Amino acid sequence: MTSFDFPGKYYEIMRGDFRDIHAETEFLSALVPAGGRVLDIGCGTGTNLRELGARGFSGLGIDQSERFIRYARDTAAATGARMPGGTDGTGVGYAHERAETFTTDERFDLVYSVFMTLNYLPRADLRQLLRKMRELLLPGGHVVLEFGHLLNFVEGFQPHTVAHHRGPDGILITRLARQSVNPHAANWRSEETLLVRERDGRVALYDNFYDQAVLTGPEVRELLTEAGLRVRAEYGGFRKEPVPFHGRGPLVIVATAAEEADHA
Ligand SMILES: C[S@@+](CC[C@H](N)C(=O)[O-])C[C@H]1O[C@@H](n2cnc3c(N)ncnc32)[C@H](O)[C@@H]1O
């Protein structure tokens, strides 16, 4: 179960504190031919796709959060990005869709899912999604996955968290989170309250709730193989850091169709 039903501008502020968008953009764009087309699975507020669109790539982002998709569309329109809906092969577009049920006749040079989005899928749906990612690739295309692995969850476990995020114009977001683990399902539950104070003193509260599957590297690699994908490279981050052998850290996997020649 996943909500992410709060204004996209607050998500962008918190994302900025956790992520290195420059490194992500460099990494992803290096895998796409000039003018190529990309698919962002669980695109959130469209952050990655917006940056790729600014570099001349076209693409489609899908997300289950209607509010985030609205933010992504409004922001793209406000910045003058070409936005034909993203389904006619040009520009950048966003669709309110769940990854499990999304279908398209299009094919892409790059299909990616970053910032732990895969972990939000019901475990049973992951196998099917990876197969779909494989089918959506153009010849020579790449899949990039960045997911939270077992140690991220274990080392990051705190029953209660309070964190502050400061945005532009004096916005202050206080995030209160409660985490609980269901060991039988390897499910990680987060219940958050976001307390937002705008510059004029107005205060708003948003509840956010999500379940995440605690994945392991071997499990994801096995699912990739089953899906007809071959791992070409693995990194511990978008700056191509080596994979962490101990402890937590991001796990980034680059894969291509199994029958492709080795060129990653
Ligand atoms: C941590 S955010 C990451 C968003 C984006 N990839 C980024 O890097 O900012 C996780 C996103 O996954 C989306 N999500 C969760 N489950 C999903 C599903 N089944 N289908 C599509 N989107 C999903 C949420 O709505 C949320 O926007």
Side-chain angles (χ1 to χ4, degrees), residues 90-148:
T90 61
V92 166
Y94 299 95
H96 177 220
E97 300 261 7
R98 292 194 68 84
E100 305 90 301
T101 46
F102 165 73
T103 56
T104 175
D105 292 333
E106 276 198 89
R107 295 295 177 266
F108 301 86
D109 299 290
L110 172 66
V111 178
Y112 64 89
S113 186
V114 302
F115 199 2
M116 299 182 80
T117 300
L118 286 188
N119 298 81
Y120 293 86
L121 259 91
R123 200 176 209 92
D125 292 323
L126 194 52
R127 175 175 276 107
Q128 198 50 40
L129 177 65
L130 294 179
R131 283 206 187 111
K132 183 159 40 183
M133 290 172 106
R134 157 73 189 91
E135 284 161 18
L136 293 177
L137 284 184
L138 282 165
H142 290 83
V143 164
V144 172
L145 308 177
E146 183 212 11
F147 57 93

Side-chain angles (χ1 to χ4, degrees), residues 2-4 11 15 19 24 40-45 47-48 62-65 68 97-100 114-117 120-122:
T2 312
S3 55
F4 289 99
Y11 173 79
R15 189 190 197 281
R19 307 286 298 182
E24 291 168 31
D40 185 336
I41 305 231
C43 65
T45 47
T47 327
N48 291 109
I62 64 150
D63 199 282
Q64 62 87 44
S65 166
F68 281 10
E97 300 261 7
R98 292 194 68 84
E100 305 90 301
V114 302
F115 199 2
M116 299 182 80
T117 300
Y120 293 86
L121 259 91

Side-chain angles (χ1 to χ4, degrees), residues 169-172 195-204:
D169 304 326
I171 295 175
L172 175 68
L195 182 64
V196 183
R197 193 198 63 205
E198 288 278 352
R199 184 183 192 163
D200 63 7
R202 274 179 305 136
V203 171

Side-chain angles (χ1 to χ4, degrees), residues 10 194 203 214:
Y10 301 141
L194 304 176
V203 171
V214 178

Side-chain angles (χ1 to χ4, degrees), residues 227-250:
L229 288 158
R230 184 180 297 168
V231 175
R232 303 290 176 176
E234 290 187 279
Y235 303 102
F238 286 104
R239 291 192 181 278
K240 298 196 173 178
E241 298 91 334
V243 285
F245 284 105
H246 307 284
R248 67 178 139 159

